[in-house]
């Protein structure tokens, strides 16, 4: 099998992208995900493709190691569909959603020693928590929210999503329109717990190193922090031809079909031929 017939789906989730790739004729998709339940669901969904789908439980910052362990040195493409999956959001037991009641967890995988969101909100000093919410959540009321969390945890530990969502909602000015007031705080905690920005920054150079000439790297991001890393990476690489001068956004029809896709931005690049 030629390397151009191999694509790495670095964020497999429930297997939608992997399925589309395999249906298009890609010979082998190596599917990486840190969430064992996601890989199980993807494997069941893709059972009809047999050995053409190879699931691997890992973080995507180990993409080069995963490809090497699969017996490959280069691939024809790598895809990153970032952020939390709908499957994770919809399961209250995972603790990602500020809507409903669940344990304040937010871990995407089962890596030993990984702190939960409850560990973060109950143990970080108030100043550190404020910086986290302000920077990772891009939340202008970060200090007010951190102070409210600090006061609440002095009374009792914060252990559920409903507790935290109520604390945040009580700390910021009320608005009739717009997203839930806890959305940005939950984003910040999720990024911190899973080290998502660090994972992305570490994985992209590896992905380019795996691409054969003409191979393509695709990154789909959902908020400005991820997109900023991807945009800077594509613009700084001299071994990539940028295919998307401006990010591709979902069409109105796509958003109507999947409202969670409304903030998606797709950037892509193609590996150049090696210099003679």
């Amino acid at each position: 099998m030629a390397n151009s017939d191999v694509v790495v789906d670095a964020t497999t989730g429930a297997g939608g992208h992997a399925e589309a790739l395999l249906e298009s004729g890609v010979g082998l998709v190596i599917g990486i995900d840190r969430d064992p339940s996601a890989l199980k669901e993807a494997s069941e969904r893709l059972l009809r493709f047999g050995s053409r789908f190879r699931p691997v439980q890992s973080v995507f910052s180990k993409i080069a190691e995963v490809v090497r362990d699969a017996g490959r040195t280069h691939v024809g493409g790598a895809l990153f569909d970032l952020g939390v999956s709908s499957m994770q959001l919809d399961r209250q037991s995972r603790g990602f959603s500020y809507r409903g009641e669940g344990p304040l967890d937010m871990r995407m995988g089962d890596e030993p020693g990984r702190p939960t969101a409850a560990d973060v909100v109950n143990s970080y000093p108030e100043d550190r928590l404020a910086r986290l919410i302000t920077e990772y959540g891009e939340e202008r009321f970060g200090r007010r929210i951190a102070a409210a969390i600090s006061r609440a945890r002095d009374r009792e530990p914060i252990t559920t999503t409903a507790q935290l969502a109520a604390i945040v909602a009580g700390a910021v000015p009320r608005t009739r329109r717009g997203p839930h007031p806890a959305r940005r705080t939950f984003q910040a905690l999720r990024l911190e717990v899973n080290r998502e920005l660090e994972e992305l920054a570490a994985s992209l150079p590896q992905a380019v190193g795996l691409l054969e000439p003409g191979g393509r790297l695709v990154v789909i991001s959902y908020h400005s922090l991820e997109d900023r890393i991807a945009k800077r990476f594509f613009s700084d690489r001299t071994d990539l031809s940028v295919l998307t001068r401006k990010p591709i956004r979902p069409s109105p029809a796509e958003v109507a079909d999947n409202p969670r896709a409304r903030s998606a931005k797709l950037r892509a690049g193609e590996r150049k031929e090696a210099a003679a």
Side-chain angles (χ1 to χ4, degrees):
M1 182 185 295
N3 284 317
S4 59
D5 208 23
V6 180
V7 173
V8 182
D9 184 351
T11 48
T12 302
H17 286 300
E19 182 176 47
L21 289 165
L22 291 163
E23 287 178 340
S24 74
V26 171
L28 172 65
V29 172
I30 301 171
I32 301 173
D33 206 289
R34 68 203 301 177
D35 186 342
S37 62
L39 281 179
K40 181 176 183 294
E41 185 168 323
S43 296
E44 292 171 354
R45 176 177 186 168
L46 304 174
L47 192 62
R48 70 186 187 277
F49 296 104
S51 60
R52 291 173 59 202
F53 175 66
R54 188 174 303 180
V56 181
Q57 185 183 350
S58 182
V59 290
F60 54 68
S61 63
K62 294 184 178 180
I63 185 172
E65 178 182 323
V66 169
V67 170
R68 183 175 65 248
D69 289 347
R72 308 287 167 176
T73 56
H74 292 85
V75 299
L79 168 66
F80 293 79
D81 185 9
L82 304 172
V84 65
S85 71
S86 293
M87 178 177 59
Q88 291 165 332
L89 277 173
D90 293 339
R91 292 177 180 169
Q92 294 295 337
S93 62
R94 301 300 299 273
F96 287 100
S97 178
Y98 41 78
R99 301 184 188 278
E101 178 84 27
L104 195 56
D105 194 322
M106 298 194 194
R107 290 173 297 180
M108 289 180 170
D110 57 2
E111 301 100 299
R114 175 75 59 189
T116 66
D119 293 327
V120 173
V121 299
N122 288 296
S123 68
Y124 276 24
E126 184 179 322
D127 283 352
R128 184 179 179 186
L129 202 55
R131 287 195 303 273
L132 170 65
I133 296 169
T134 300
E135 294 173 13
Y136 278 10
E138 300 177 290
E139 171 61 75
R140 62 189 178 119
F141 298 112
R143 290 202 168 276
R144 291 173 61 167
I145 293 169
I149 290 172
S150 182
R151 290 192 299 270
R153 71 189 184 188
D154 285 344
R155 294 190 293 272
E156 62 175 344
I158 302 167
T159 59
T160 72
T161 54
Q163 270 182 288
L164 181 60
I167 292 165
V168 176
V172 301
R174 293 180 179 273
T175 58
R176 293 188 177 183
R177 295 182 179 181
H180 191 285
R183 180 178 65 90
R184 294 179 181 275
T185 298
F186 273 61
Q187 171 186 297
L189 291 170
R190 194 199 81 222
L191 291 174
E192 176 75 356
V193 167
N194 297 289
R195 296 184 60 79
E196 292 174 55
L197 301 182
E198 294 88 346
E199 283 281 315
L200 179 60
S203 64
L204 293 179
Q206 294 181 51
V208 173
L210 291 168
L211 293 177
E212 60 188 13
R216 293 186 172 184
L217 171 64
V218 176
V219 180
I220 305 172
S221 61
Y222 294 86
H223 58 75
S224 62
L225 298 176
E226 292 172 336
D227 184 59
R228 198 174 301 145
I229 292 172
K231 179 181 180 181
R232 185 178 301 120
F233 179 81
F234 280 113
S235 65
D236 288 348
R237 296 293 297 207
T238 58
D239 51 359
L240 280 179
S241 295
V242 178
L243 302 176
T244 49
R245 294 299 171 186
K246 291 185 177 181
I248 298 173
R249 305 295 300 269
S251 67
E254 288 173 313
V255 174
D257 184 56
N258 178 18
R260 287 174 177 164
R262 65 186 178 277
S263 59
K265 293 182 179 181
L266 184 152
R267 296 184 186 272
E270 184 174 283
R271 182 70 187 261
K272 295 178 180 178
E273 295 285 343

